[in-house]
């Protein structure tokens, strides 16, 4: 196979079609799925794929919908009449909260639904049974109802990793209130933008939570959020504050009279109250999840109740291999799509036990995750390449010290380097667990590419084949299909809809069509899904074995520790500093976080470069977005490399930051600046000991094409 790939010639290096450039990928060896896993797997017979072939589409997905309890079955599996706004299970009625809670109370009330581990090891974990979850969800739903919230209204949560978060989500879902959870690590201002965009009048937050040993004041962000939302014309009437220690306030920030209320006080009036789950339409929205794109305005990805719930239940069953008796731990944060789909909705729909952890994985030491696994008997583990790289670096021998046994392990959110994959497999998994490298996105609701853990061989660095019922195609810039199995890079698209796909961008339907469907649509009037391939925004290759390798974003998005940051958002934050004339954000390869951000800044005439300006830019980014976006370096340069039309050539500065070849610069208006910047940046980086290791093929590919049309 590797030989076939090397046959590809170099004669097609057409400047305008980066997608066609042949890439000589090194192939990796296969690993067999563990026999013990296969013996018990939900998907153990390869014939399962026959049930999801294209001739069975879309009806094949009723197998997923059948995992749920419906008040009323659907009339139409897939309605394409308002293409590409696909509607799944039309006519069906259900409730997500009922499916994740009530129906399990009927069958196994005393089983743990959630097990929550506080970060301080001195605090005991809390096991919340399905019965208790039912009580808490109902009581909080009663609180929301009392505030006048009803189906279709939006509510914003800015909550850390505490059980109150899934309780709040399920309470909103019970009423049909559309929730929008903003990652707690985002700044108050970032939460405020999202509150305004979604039109929420209620914000739910927490006084404080633990991160790396500190009890953070989180409430302060609520004040910033309300202020930022008000600037955009959105008034927040109520801020509901959960208390990390009920009855005791853990934040220093004062409560605002009339606006801020402690949830434990409100709950007192609703003890034991039951709120009947609303009978909602399958196509009603369940939640919004904001993500970054190519403009400064975040996109509120709107997910449906029926399609989304079916898809996460089905993929949790077959790809996470969740059985009712498993103890499943996904170490992601519920503030991201992974936590929504694979901590809350998927696992709870299947009635399993889902573990939640408040803090950082290496607190107080790098053995913590494995101690938790041993203590709780976790047998399915799910995390990100960033966490794996970090744990490998700080505690390479820790897993061996603990007695736990995983049957499957998932990785998600970024490409995983084969050597990191092997450490995960051999050391964390002790050679007895299957790894699923799951490729998907906020927009897609659930997995698009992954091996089936009990069936497929694994190949480090590749996510594997398409998920059941998913039909990918790799297209070049001219809409030509890159030959299947050729190993050539192009834009990965999904030809047919699937139930988990988002319904629209909240409030921006045109952007939904233009970003995800317009690129490869030839007939905007068409009602036939064949005419609407979904453009994922990722580069990919497909090897002869049908395994996909994801090369990373093809748009202006930087994936830092698995978190998508838009260059425009970073740049607009930098531009709020009055001294700054121009700003450009580029990715730099980072051994732990995959990528980090480097900011290039040019100053207004007459302004001198100084540490003060640098610091202002850093603070602006932390305030507007959050600490996760903090640049690794800020370079104040005399000028930016620009095309004759004035566009900053990000790939040139990205190459400079990564010590790689800047490629063709003949189209620059000011080519002389390239050497100057290189000298400035690279000598400073050398002095700091920041010369990166040699880039891998995929990294090289991403950096050299960064920001290109
Ligand atoms: C990247 C996270 C390589 C990809 C679920 C995608 C991956 C973006 C993988 C979505 C993977 C996700 N291998 N790259 N297994 N999974 N990505 O929306 O670039 O936070 O487009 O969803 O992460 O990130 P998001």
């Amino acid at each position: 196979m590797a030989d076939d790939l090397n046959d590809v010639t170099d004669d097609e290096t057409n400047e305008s079609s980066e997608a066609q450039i042949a890439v000589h990928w090194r192939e990796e060896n296969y690993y067999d799925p563990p026999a013990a896993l296969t013996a018990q797997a939900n998907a153990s017979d390869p014939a399962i794929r026959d049930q999801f072939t294209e001739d069975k589409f879309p009806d094949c997905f009723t197998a997923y919908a059948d995992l749920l309890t419906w008040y009323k079955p659907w009339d139409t599996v897939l309605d394409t009449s308002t293409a590409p706004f696909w509607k799944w299970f039309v006519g069906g009625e259900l409730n997500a909260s009922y499916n994740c809670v009530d129906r399990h109370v009927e069958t196994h009330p005393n089983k743990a639904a959630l097990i929550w581990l506080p970060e301080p090891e001195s605090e005991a974990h809390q096991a919340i049974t399905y019965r208790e979850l039912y009580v808490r969800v109902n009581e909080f739903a009663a609180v929301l109802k009392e505030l006048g919230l009803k189906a279709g209204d939006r509510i914003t949560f800015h909550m850390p990793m505490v059980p109150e978060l899934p309780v709040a989500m399920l309470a909103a879902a019970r009423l049909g209130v559309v929730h929008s959870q903003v990652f707690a690590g985002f700044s108050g201002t970032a939460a405020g933008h999202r509150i305004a965009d979604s039109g929420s009048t209620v914000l739910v937050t927490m006084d404080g939570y633990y991160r790396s040993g500190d009890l953070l004041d989180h409430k302060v962000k609520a004040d910033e959020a309300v202020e930022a939302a008000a600037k955009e014309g959105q008034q927040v009437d109520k801020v509901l504050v959960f208390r990390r220690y009920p009855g005791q306030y853990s934040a220093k920030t004062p409560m605002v009279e009339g606006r801020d209320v402690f949830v434990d006080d409100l709950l007192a009036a609703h003890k034991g109250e039951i709120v009947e789950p609303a009978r909602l339409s399958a196509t009603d929205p369940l939640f919004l999840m904001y993500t970054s794109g190519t403009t400064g305005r975040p996109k509120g990805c709107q997910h449906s109740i029926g399609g989304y719930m079916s898809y996460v239940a089905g993929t949790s069953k077959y790809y996470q291999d969740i059985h009712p008796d498993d103890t499943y731990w996904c170490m992601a944060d519920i503030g991201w799509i992974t936590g929504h789909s694979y901590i809350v909705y998927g696992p709870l729909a299947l009635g399993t036990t889902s573990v939640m952890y408040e803090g950082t994985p290496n607190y107080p030491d790098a053995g913590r995750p494995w101690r938790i696994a041993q203590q709780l008997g976790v047998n399915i583990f799910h995390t990100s390449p960033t966490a794996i790289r970090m744990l490998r670096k700080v505690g390479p021998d820790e897993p061996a010290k603990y007695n736990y046994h995983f049957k499957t392990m998932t990785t998600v959110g970024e490409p995983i380097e084969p050597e990191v994959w092997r450490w995960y497999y051999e050391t964390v998994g002790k050679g007895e667990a299957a790894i699923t490298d799951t490729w998907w996105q906020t927009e897609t609701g659930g997995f698009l590419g992954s091996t089936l853990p009990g069936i497929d061989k694994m190949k480090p660095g590749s996510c594997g084949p398409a998920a059941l019922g998913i039909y990918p195609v790799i297209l070049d810039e001219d809409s030509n299909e890159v030959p299947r199995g050729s190993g050539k890079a192009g834009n990965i698209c999904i030809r047919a809809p699937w139930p988990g796909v988002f319904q629209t961008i909240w409030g921006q339907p045109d952007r939904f069509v233009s970003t995800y469907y317009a690129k490869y649509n030839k007939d905007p009037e068409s009602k036939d899904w064949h005419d609407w391939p979904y453009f994922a925004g990722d580069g990919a290759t497909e090897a002869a074995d049908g395994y996909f390798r994801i090369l990373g974003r093809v748009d202006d998005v930087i994936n830092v520790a698995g978190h998508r940051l838009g260059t425009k958002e970073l740049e607009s934050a930098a531009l709020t500093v009055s001294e700054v004339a121009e700003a450009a954000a580029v990715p730099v390869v980072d051994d732990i976080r995959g990528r980090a951000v480097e900011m290039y800044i040019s100053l207004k005439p007459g302004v001198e470069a100084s540490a003060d300006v640098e610091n202002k830019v850093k603070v602006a980014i932390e305030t507007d977005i959050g600490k996760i976006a903090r640049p690794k370096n800020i370079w104040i340069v005399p000028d930016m490399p620009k095309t004759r039309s004035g566009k900053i050539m990000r790939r040139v500065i990205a190459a400079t930051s990564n010590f790689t070849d800047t490629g063709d610069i003949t189209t620059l208006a000011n080519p002389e600046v390239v050497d100057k910047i290189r000298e400035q940046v690279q000598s400073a980086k050398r002095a700091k000991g920041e010369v990166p290791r040699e880039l891998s093929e995929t990294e090289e590919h991403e950096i050299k094409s960064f920001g290109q049309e």
Side-chain angles (χ1 to χ4, degrees):
M1 189 188 323
D3 288 340
D4 295 348
L5 298 180
N6 289 334
D7 280 338
V8 177
T9 53
D10 282 328
D11 58 12
E12 58 227 295
T13 34
N14 169 356
E15 222 201 347
S16 68
S17 54
E18 174 65 24
Q20 288 177 352
I21 297 176
V23 202
H24 304 257
W25 312 111
R26 197 180 42 241
E27 283 295 317
E28 296 288 337
N29 294 332
Y30 293 107
Y31 289 72
D32 286 322
L37 168 69
T38 306
Q40 58 81 67
N42 286 326
S44 57
D45 180 354
I48 189 169
R49 287 219 159 78
D50 303 340
Q51 296 164 35
F52 287 86
T53 49
E54 206 170 324
D55 55 314
K56 306 209 173 62
F57 178 86
D59 292 352
C60 53
F61 283 117
T62 59
Y64 285 4
D66 286 339
L67 296 172
L68 304 175
T69 304
W70 297 73
Y71 297 123
K72 177 173 171 283
W74 54 90
D75 310 310
T76 311
V77 175
L78 172 64
D79 171 359
T80 63
S81 60
T82 47
F85 300 86
W86 314 123
K87 297 196 184 94
W88 283 89
F89 307 119
V90 180
E93 287 177 5
L94 77 168
N95 185 289
S97 183
Y98 178 86
N99 273 283
C100 291
V101 188
D102 305 40
R103 62 178 185 152
H104 307 307
V105 176
E106 290 158 23
T107 54
H108 44 263
N110 295 323
K111 175 176 163 178
L114 298 167
I115 300 181
W116 178 63
L117 291 117
E119 190 188 75
E121 280 188 293
S122 55
E123 287 183 27
H125 69 263
Q126 291 179 18
I128 300 167
T129 64
Y130 275 98
R131 174 78 213 169
E132 280 177 85
L133 183 62
Y134 175 78
V135 170
R136 290 174 69 167
V137 166
N138 273 284
E139 289 176 353
F140 193 62
V143 167
L144 297 182
K145 213 170 140 186
E146 182 194 338
L147 293 175
L149 290 165
K150 54 185 189 320
D153 291 346
R154 279 81 55 213
I155 186 167
T156 298
F157 303 150
H158 196 199
M159 292 284 291
M161 280 293 284
V162 291
E164 286 78 2
L165 172 52
V167 165
M169 291 162 71
L170 293 162
R174 201 166 185 84
L175 302 172
V177 173
V178 182
H179 61 75
S180 164
Q181 153 69 6
V182 178
F183 172 56
F186 272 138
S187 67
T189 308
H193 294 316
R194 289 157 177 78
I195 289 171
D197 193 87
S198 63
S200 301
T201 55
V202 176
L203 169 65
V204 182
T205 189
M206 184 108 187
D207 55 353
Y209 65 102
Y210 282 97
R211 273 318 266 185
S212 303
D214 297 322
L215 181 57
L216 305 181
D217 181 343
H218 187 61
K219 161 64 171 59
V220 63
K221 290 188 177 178
D223 300 319
E224 293 159 4
V226 170
E227 196 188 318
K231 277 196 195 135
E232 294 181 38
Q234 179 64 43
Q235 178 169 328
V236 174
D237 302 325
K238 278 280 171 276
V239 176
L240 308 187
V241 184
F242 277 106
R243 284 192 274 197
R244 176 64 176 72
Y245 299 98
Q248 167 189 333
Y249 190 43
S250 299
K252 294 214 171 61
T253 322
M255 295 287 278
V256 174
E257 184 76 40
R259 186 197 74 186
D260 300 354
V261 217
F262 291 128
V263 177
D264 45 326
D265 288 345
L266 289 178
L267 283 171
H270 297 284
K271 282 278 161 251
E273 207 169 310
I274 299 299
V275 176
E276 280 309 308
R279 279 177 76 126
L280 298 162
S281 150
T283 55
D284 283 342
L286 177 60
F287 66 85
L288 308 179
M289 168 63 61
Y290 280 88
T291 190
S292 300
T294 47
T295 75
R297 181 174 174 195
K299 302 179 278 195
C301 295
Q302 178 185 316
H303 283 283
S304 70
I305 304 175
Y308 172 84
M309 286 298 297
S310 301
Y311 199 66
V312 296
T315 49
S316 292
K317 176 167 178 182
Y318 293 119
Y319 288 91
Q320 299 294 286
D321 196 41
I322 290 178
H323 295 62
D325 295 335
D326 288 324
T327 299
Y328 167 86
W329 182 20
C330 171
M331 213 166 58
D333 193 293
I334 298 177
W336 308 109
I337 191 69
T338 300
H340 276 51
S341 301
Y342 299 112
I343 296 178
V344 181
Y345 288 115
L348 296 184
L350 297 181
T352 197
T353 300
S354 186
V355 175
M356 289 178 67
Y357 172 55
E358 176 179 35
T360 40
N362 59 337
Y363 185 83
D365 57 69
R368 186 72 191 274
W370 325 127
R371 241 176 355 262
I372 292 174
Q374 171 181 283
Q375 179 189 355
L376 302 181
V378 172
N379 66 339
I380 307 178
F381 182 68
H382 187 157
T383 191
S384 65
T386 290
I388 303 167
R389 287 185 211 107
M390 199 251 291
L391 292 165
R392 173 177 180 245
K393 182 171 178 204
V394 296
D397 306 319
E398 287 301 307
K401 298 181 188 160
Y402 297 92
N403 181 19
Y404 64 82
H405 296 279
F406 295 151
K407 64 170 182 173
T408 64
M409 303 191 299
T410 302
T411 155
V412 62
E414 323 152 56
I416 182 165
E417 298 76 6
E419 65 275 20
V420 177
W421 191 101
R422 282 187 283 268
W423 182 78
Y424 196 31
Y425 180 80
E426 273 145 24
T427 305
V428 177
K430 307 179 178 184
E432 46 183 35
I435 294 183
T436 52
D437 177 349
T438 59
W439 168 68
W440 59 298
Q441 311 175 303
T442 303
E443 293 86 340
T444 73
F447 307 144
L448 295 179
S450 171
T451 47
L452 279 163
I455 295 177
D456 300 323
K457 290 178 190 299
M458 301 163 257
K459 188 165 73 172
S462 297
C463 65
L468 296 169
I470 301 293
Y471 316 117
V473 60
I474 298 179
L475 299 175
D476 69 15
E477 289 299 318
D478 305 318
S479 305
N480 300 311
E481 209 173 308
V482 170
R484 296 211 61 166
S486 65
K488 285 193 190 182
N491 298 317
I492 188 164
C493 296
I494 311 298
R495 289 194 293 110
W498 65 99
V501 69
F502 71 139
Q503 300 178 290
T504 187
I505 302 175
W506 179 262
Q508 304 181 72
D510 295 342
R511 188 178 180 195
F512 170 75
V513 179
S514 64
T515 306
Y516 299 98
Y517 293 100
K519 189 173 172 82
Y520 292 119
N521 169 257
K522 294 196 186 84
D523 174 12
E525 297 305 315
S526 173
K527 308 288 176 220
D528 180 350
W529 61 256
H530 292 86
D531 292 323
W532 296 94
Y534 168 80
F535 172 66
D538 277 326
T541 62
E542 184 184 5
D545 56 10
Y547 279 38
F548 293 91
R549 186 194 288 216
I550 303 302
L551 307 177
R553 304 292 310 178
V554 297
D555 54 10
D556 293 338
V557 168
I558 306 177
N559 192 335
V560 178
H563 311 320
R564 284 159 65 174
L565 301 174
T567 53
K568 284 287 185 313
E569 279 168 79
L570 291 154
E571 292 161 7
S572 4
L575 287 166
T576 62
V577 175
S578 61
E579 291 89 341
V580 173
E582 288 175 313
V586 295
V588 60
V589 170
D590 183 276
D591 281 340
I592 300 294
R593 292 173 293 169
R595 301 289 175 275
V597 173
E598 293 210 349
M599 255 348 256
Y600 283 70
I601 299 290
S602 72
L603 300 174
K604 288 183 182 156
V607 181
E608 289 291 316
S610 68
D612 179 48
V613 177
E614 241 177 68
N615 195 47
K616 281 186 184 164
V617 170
K618 194 184 102 196
V619 171
I621 290 173
E622 287 185 11
T623 310
D624 256 24
I625 306 173
K627 289 205 169 67
I628 51 163
R630 183 194 290 164
K632 186 163 183 172
N633 285 300
I634 296 168
W635 305 113
I636 301 180
V637 294
D639 197 5
M640 301 279 188
K642 284 188 202 133
T643 61
R644 288 189 194 96
S645 58
K647 187 175 179 278
I648 299 175
M649 266 232 201
R650 290 194 181 75
R651 69 170 172 83
V652 173
I653 46 184
T656 303
S657 276
N658 289 283
F659 287 74
T660 185
D661 170 26
T662 42
D664 180 13
I665 54 166
T666 54
T667 55
L668 284 182
N670 53 351
E672 70 288 349
V673 75
V674 176
D675 283 340
K676 276 194 216 153
I677 295 180
R678 186 189 298 119
E679 170 54 28
Q680 173 191 348
V681 168
Q682 295 188 349
S683 61
K685 289 182 84 133
R686 274 198 197 93
K688 289 167 72 175
E690 279 185 18
V691 181
R693 56 173 165 73
E694 205 189 319
L695 303 192
S696 72
E697 299 148 324
T698 47
E699 290 163 349
E700 189 93 30
H701 176 86
E702 177 192 317
I703 299 299
K704 286 190 170 164
S705 51
F706 188 74
Q708 258 192 341
E709 292 292 283

